[in-house]
């Protein structure tokens, strides 16, 4: 069985084709700069040289036509071989607690959630609509970033705000990166040889965006991102938790417009705001060369992360494992060490040697006297979307 996973953004579409029998990637690629005069199509067919093309792509329709032609021309799928298309959808609101087979009604429901994710859902939806138009004969499934966190209890997801804002306007915490948190939790359970339903985990997805998740008996009970992906940890360009009254100050005293504040907090803050860079590799190089702003940004990042680890130990009571994942979580040994430093009282002790070079897919980096296991797991969100799409279709058969 072959499943295609699509992640449609406003100007790019990422895709991966999986052979589900052995979960191999047969072909993956990205169509970028859709709508600009010259777009780029980069793809890689398994066991072949990567391809990099400059082509005109006026819109998502042309981009998807190109994608489906590539799948056919490369021989990656032959007639009737594509069993399903899985679509990443950022926001499912409270409606979607599970993946959903795409129907006209589901499309309408995803559109209904657009006010909650105005930057992401419209592009996801555009990808879905075009894909349904071009490949309507293939079953298609929407997999939501928010769904994994729909198990949060009300005292964790509600904001201390007037109730009608929640009831009438959906103002609450939703959480994101759910596909990744859910995937690494399952991998951790496999690695530890225990049922997920018996495990308490703290999963840390640290990429350009970053979030922490408290998982109790396999279910998400708290997570650091909120109504939007701006809340929580300090990130590459997003501020994470700040005093909400800052907005008034930025408006009244600094004279920034609402739009300027939105851009500032989402795109010019976090590591970039503190030291001018948001790639952790560059931050470390700068810090090694003596740059004080980069040192400060790294200390702030680790400190804020450590506070969430402490908070989630309190939430869970017993923690079986902490899982690091995402580009930073998987690769940045110094940051892992820094945010676990001084946590031996909580039973969290890293092994410096194991931490240095963890295995590519899953490995343990805790010391023998650590009561909490510390794991580094390579997240595979696209594969997880394919697996969830397959499971969703199987349930209907
Ligand atoms: P996204 O959230 O866009 O999926 P990734 O999970 O790929 O991002 O993470 C990207 C980030 O991972 C980069 O910005 C970079 O800071 C970090 N990163 C990648 N490799 C390393 C490394 N070897 N050391 C430290 N950080 C790294």
């Amino acid at each position: 069985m072959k499943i295609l996973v699509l992640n449609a953004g406003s100007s790019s579409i990422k895709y991966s084709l999986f052979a589900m029998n052995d979960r191999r990637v047969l072909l993956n690629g990205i169509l970028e700069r859709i709508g600009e005069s010259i777009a780029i199509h980069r793809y890689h067919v398994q066991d072949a040289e990567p391809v990099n093309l400059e082509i005109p792509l006026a819109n998502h329709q042309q981009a998807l036509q190109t994608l489906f032609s590539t799948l056919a021309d490369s021989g990656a799928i032959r007639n009737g071989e594509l069993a399903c298309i899985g679509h990443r959808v950022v926001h499912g609101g409270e409606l979607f607690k599970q993946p959903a087979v795409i129907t006209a009604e589901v499309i309408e429901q995803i559109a209904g959630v657009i006010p909650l994710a105005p930057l992401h859902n419209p592009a996801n939806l555009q990808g879905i609509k075009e894909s349904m138009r071009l490949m309507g004969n293939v079953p298609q499934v929407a997999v939501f970033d928010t769904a994994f966190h729909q198990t949060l209890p009300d005292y964790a997801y509600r904001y201390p705000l007037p109730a009608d804002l929640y009831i009438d306007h959906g103002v609450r915490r939703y959480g994101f990166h759910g596909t990744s948190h859910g995937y690494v939790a399952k991998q951790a359970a496999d690695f530890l040889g225990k049922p997920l339903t018996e495990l308490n985990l703290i999963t840390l997805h640290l990429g350009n965006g970053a979030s922490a998740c408290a998982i109790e008996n396999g279910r998400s009970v708290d997570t650091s991102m909120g109504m939007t992906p701006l809340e929580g940890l300090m990130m590459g360009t997003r501020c994470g938790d700040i005093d909400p009254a800052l907005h008034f100050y930025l408006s009244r005293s600094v004279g920034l417009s609402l739009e300027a504040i939105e851009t500032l907090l989402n795109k010019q803050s976090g590591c970039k705001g503190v030291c001018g860079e948001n790639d952790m590799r560059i931050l470390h190089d700068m810090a090694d060369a003596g740059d004080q702003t980069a040192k400060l940004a790294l200390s702030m990042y680790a400190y804020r992360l450590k506070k969430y680890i402490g908070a989630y130990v309190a939430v869970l009571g017993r923690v079986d494992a902490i899982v690091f994942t995402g580009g930073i979580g998987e690769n940045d040994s110094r940051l892992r060490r820094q945010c676990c430093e001084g946590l031996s009282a909580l039973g969290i002790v890293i092994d410096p040697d194991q931490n240095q070079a963890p295995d590519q897919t899953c490995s343990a980096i805790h010391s023998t006297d650590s009561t909490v296991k510390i794991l580094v797991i390579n997240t595979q969100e696209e594969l997880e979307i394919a697996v969830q799409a397959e499971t969703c279709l199987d349930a209907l058969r």
Side-chain angles (χ1 to χ4, degrees):
M1 180 192 264
K2 293 180 183 175
I3 294 185
L4 175 69
V5 173
L6 291 183
N7 182 355
S10 55
S11 65
S12 71
I13 299 176
K14 287 188 203 154
Y15 62 95
S16 302
L17 179 72
F18 291 94
M20 296 309 286
N21 56 342
D22 55 4
R23 302 190 167 187
R24 226 168 355 115
V25 180
L26 299 172
L27 191 161
N28 62 353
I30 180 165
L31 298 130
E32 289 175 295
R33 299 197 201 163
I34 300 167
E36 289 184 30
S37 53
I38 298 174
I40 294 175
H41 185 195
R42 287 186 279 133
Y43 64 92
H44 187 191
V45 182
Q46 191 192 24
D47 299 330
E49 285 298 309
V51 179
N52 202 336
L53 299 171
E54 289 190 350
I55 44 168
L57 291 175
N59 49 39
H60 280 59
Q61 183 188 343
Q62 288 184 10
L64 283 173
Q65 267 163 350
T66 304
L67 189 165
F68 290 124
S69 306
T70 306
L71 293 183
D73 297 347
S74 64
I77 46 169
R78 296 187 189 84
N79 264 350
E81 257 193 332
L82 188 59
C84 169
I85 299 175
H87 293 269
R88 177 185 180 216
V89 181
V90 168
H91 217 306
E94 286 188 333
L95 266 178
F96 295 103
K97 300 182 191 326
Q98 302 286 343
V101 175
I102 293 169
T103 58
E105 191 191 357
V106 165
I107 288 181
E108 221 167 276
Q109 288 168 329
I110 295 173
V113 183
I114 284 177
L116 296 176
L119 301 179
H120 295 104
N121 270 33
N124 299 157
L125 204 51
Q126 219 178 341
I128 289 174
K129 283 181 179 167
E130 286 305 333
S131 171
M132 288 291 279
R133 228 173 47 78
L134 294 167
M135 301 290 276
N137 55 331
V138 176
Q140 309 204 17
V141 175
V143 178
F144 301 89
D145 271 16
T146 47
F148 183 65
H149 303 300
Q150 277 297 302
T151 45
L152 258 63
D154 52 6
Y155 53 80
Y157 72 67
R158 285 288 294 275
Y159 288 113
L161 292 170
D164 56 353
L165 285 176
Y166 167 62
I167 295 162
D168 300 335
H169 301 281
V171 176
R172 53 158 283 181
R173 310 181 64 252
Y174 291 94
F176 298 87
H177 290 144
T179 311
S180 177
H181 288 295
Y183 174 79
V184 297
K186 283 194 279 186
Q187 295 300 110
D190 282 354
F191 184 80
L192 299 172
K194 282 196 168 169
L196 182 55
T197 49
E198 290 173 18
L199 281 179
N200 286 0
L201 305 168
I202 298 174
T203 52
L204 305 169
H205 177 104
L206 311 175
N208 284 316
S211 66
C213 183
I215 297 176
E216 185 174 51
N217 298 325
R219 291 154 66 91
S220 173
V221 291
D222 206 349
T223 190
S224 58
M225 284 179 166
M227 168 127 176
T228 76
L230 192 54
E231 190 180 335
L233 301 173
M234 174 172 166
M235 306 175 216
T237 64
R238 291 182 218 146
C239 57
D241 296 335
I242 54 168
D243 181 346
L246 253 173
H247 296 70
F248 317 132
Y249 183 81
L250 292 172
S251 167
R252 292 190 191 123
S253 302
V254 185
L256 298 183
S257 67
L258 208 54
E259 290 70 29
I261 295 173
E262 190 170 26
T263 305
L264 175 86
L265 301 182
N266 278 291
K267 301 205 165 131
Q268 298 158 352
S269 297
C271 296
K272 194 171 184 70
V274 177
C275 74
E277 285 293 340
N278 58 291
D279 188 312
M280 279 295 171
R281 290 162 288 200
I282 299 177
L283 259 76
H284 283 297
D285 289 346
M286 286 166 67
D288 290 345
D291 187 297
Q292 293 303 321
T293 64
K295 284 186 190 173
L296 175 62
L298 287 166
S299 299
M300 288 170 67
Y301 192 102
Y303 175 72
R304 285 171 166 249
L305 186 51
K306 182 188 277 195
K307 287 207 290 184
Y308 266 95
I309 294 173
Y312 287 173
V313 171
V315 165
L316 294 170
R318 184 201 85 231
V319 179
D320 297 299
I322 294 175
V323 181
F324 285 92
T325 193
I328 298 166
E330 291 167 34
N331 295 299
D332 195 335
S333 56
R334 287 197 273 185
L335 187 102
R336 288 195 299 259
R337 194 193 61 222
Q338 214 178 340
C339 72
C340 290
E341 229 156 40
L343 295 185
S344 58
L346 301 179
I348 300 166
V349 188
I350 263 190
D351 180 299
D353 295 329
Q354 301 292 338
N355 181 41
Q356 228 25 63
D359 173 73
Q360 285 297 302
T361 49
C362 183
S363 53
I365 58 163
H366 50 273
S367 90
T368 46
D369 53 349
S370 185
T371 53
V372 176
K373 311 263 189 296
I374 309 175
L375 308 177
V376 178
I377 298 181
N378 170 235
T379 193
Q380 297 200 42
E381 288 164 286
E382 287 82 14
L383 173 61
E384 178 63 12
I385 291 172
V387 170
Q388 289 195 23
E390 183 182 31
T391 311
C392 177
L393 286 179
D394 282 350
L396 293 179
R397 286 191 184 116

